[in-house]
Amino acid sequence: MLQGQKVVIIGGSSGIGYETAKQVIAQGGEVIIASRSDQKLKTAQAQLGPQVTALTVDTTQEEQVQALFNQIGHFDHLVVTAAETSGGPFLHTYTSQSRQLFENKFWGQYYAAKYAAPHIRPGGSITLFSGVVAYKSMVGSSALGAVNAAVSNLGQTLALELAPLRVNVVSPGIIDTPARSKMSEEARNQFYATLGSKLPVNRVGRAEDVAQSVLYLLQNSFVTGTVLHVEGGHILI
Ligand SMILES: NC(=O)c1ccc[n+]([C@@H]2O[C@H](COP(=O)([O-])OP(=O)(O)OC[C@H]3O[C@@H](n4cnc5c(N)ncnc54)[C@H](OP(=O)(O)O)[C@@H]3O)[C@@H](O)[C@H]2O)c1
């Protein structure tokens, strides 16, 4: 149970972060969701209920991240699902696009961990987000694979450096979330069906699958420095 615990979820307005917020609330926890878009936050807050606080932050802006945690004060658990990712052929992708991936997904999580840690109460934790392309090379994911690998490594080093604060990393496989809303519905369904049929579990993931793994990391006080792979056996194929 997370009764009496305050959980900050940056990225909580969508996908895995949103589902994590739902599961934390179901376990009796108090939730603060944060992301860039006021509109997305308002919609999520309306669905999650009045006990949720919503705050805007752009994690690429170091001073905004620092101000966010100064405003929040003491809390128990940080989860960072915030990311905007992209891919493309190595030789034909603008370097600026790859740098932007690092700005958003790596530096965003770095700032969040750095400015949150001093505010996290004893017994608390940090959960960061990597991804399967760090562990299974895929064409078109050179920069994203490197970003994810960097996040995993950051999390494991922080588990030593910030101890006894626990720090873990979740590495999702392909999960059906709004992250792929730019694809047409037809192309997305085709992609999920084709990949799902190849996975040992015979389907792609749902946000709930990954949220469950976050809840486990928040609550198991003997787990730190782990990279938890939630990917339906994708690395094996
Ligand atoms: N879905 C997958 O297949 C998959 C696979 C591997 C890894 N992952 C990883 O799992 C995590 C969650 O992904 P998801 O599928 O749940 O994504 P999602 O549905 O697109 O949600 C991403 C969230 O991050 C927020 N966000 C993006 N950039 C931000 C920034 N600079 N500052 C603050 N908030 C920001 C977005 O809201 P705003 O737009 O309002 O900022 C949104 O709430 C990510 O790290 C993703 O890379 C996902």
Side-chain angles (χ1 to χ4, degrees):
M1 290 300 280
L2 290 165
Q3 208 78 41
Q5 309 238 320
K6 195 187 272 191
V7 182
V8 177
I9 305 171
I10 308 185
S13 63
S14 174
I16 295 165
Y18 174 81
E19 281 302 324
T20 301
K22 252 166 87 174
Q23 293 189 18
V24 168
I25 292 163
Q27 293 285 319
E30 188 189 330
V31 170
I32 296 173
I33 56 171
S35 76
R36 296 165 302 183
S37 152
D38 258 335
Q39 195 46 56
K40 276 196 212 172
L41 284 167
K42 280 200 183 107
T43 307
Q45 193 181 24
Q47 288 162 355
L48 288 167
Q51 70 275 50
V52 170
T53 304
L55 299 170
T56 50
V57 70
D58 180 346
T59 57
T60 64
Q61 305 302 310
E62 183 169 6
E63 61 294 345
Q64 284 190 29
V65 180
Q66 188 171 22
L68 174 82
F69 289 108
N70 286 338
Q71 181 184 351
I72 291 171
H74 293 306
F75 67 102
D76 298 287
H77 302 280
L78 170 69
V79 179
V80 193
T81 61
E84 195 169 83
T85 60
S86 59
F90 180 69
L91 292 179
H92 301 285
T93 298
Y94 288 115
T95 308
S96 57
Q97 182 185 320
S98 300
R99 283 182 172 273
Q100 190 50 36
L101 273 181
F102 271 92
E103 285 300 328
N104 190 305
K105 188 163 178 179
F106 176 77
W107 288 105
Q109 298 198 73
Y110 178 105
Y111 299 146
K114 179 173 175 133
Y115 294 110
H119 298 283
I120 297 179
R121 287 191 272 258
S125 71
I126 295 177
T127 303
L128 304 180
F129 266 73
S130 175
V132 65
V133 292
Y135 299 93
K136 184 176 180 65
S137 299
M138 288 184 210
V139 171
S141 294
S142 51
L144 183 57
V147 168
N148 285 337
V151 173
S152 293
N153 199 282
L154 174 70
Q156 292 188 304
T157 304
L158 294 183
L160 283 178
E161 201 164 316
L162 302 179
L165 175 61
R166 295 183 302 110
V167 184
N168 290 294
V169 178
V170 174
S171 179
I174 303 304
I175 315 295
D176 181 4
T177 73
R180 282 190 197 80
S181 56
K182 283 184 192 143
M183 284 172 89
S184 74
E185 197 181 340
E186 195 188 351
R188 196 169 56 235
N189 288 341
Q190 180 68 48
F191 170 64
Y192 288 154
T194 307
L195 177 70
S197 69
K198 293 183 190 150
L199 294 176
V201 296
N202 205 31
R203 65 170 176 87
V204 298
R206 297 186 274 262
E208 299 91 296
D209 299 322
V210 188
Q212 269 177 31
S213 66
V214 177
L215 271 277
Y216 159 75
L217 293 173
L218 300 191
Q219 293 177 95
N220 192 323
S221 61
F222 199 56
V223 181
T224 193
T226 201
V227 178
L228 184 50
H229 298 273
V230 188
E231 36 76 290
H234 200 155
I235 297 170
L236 303 175
I237 64 168

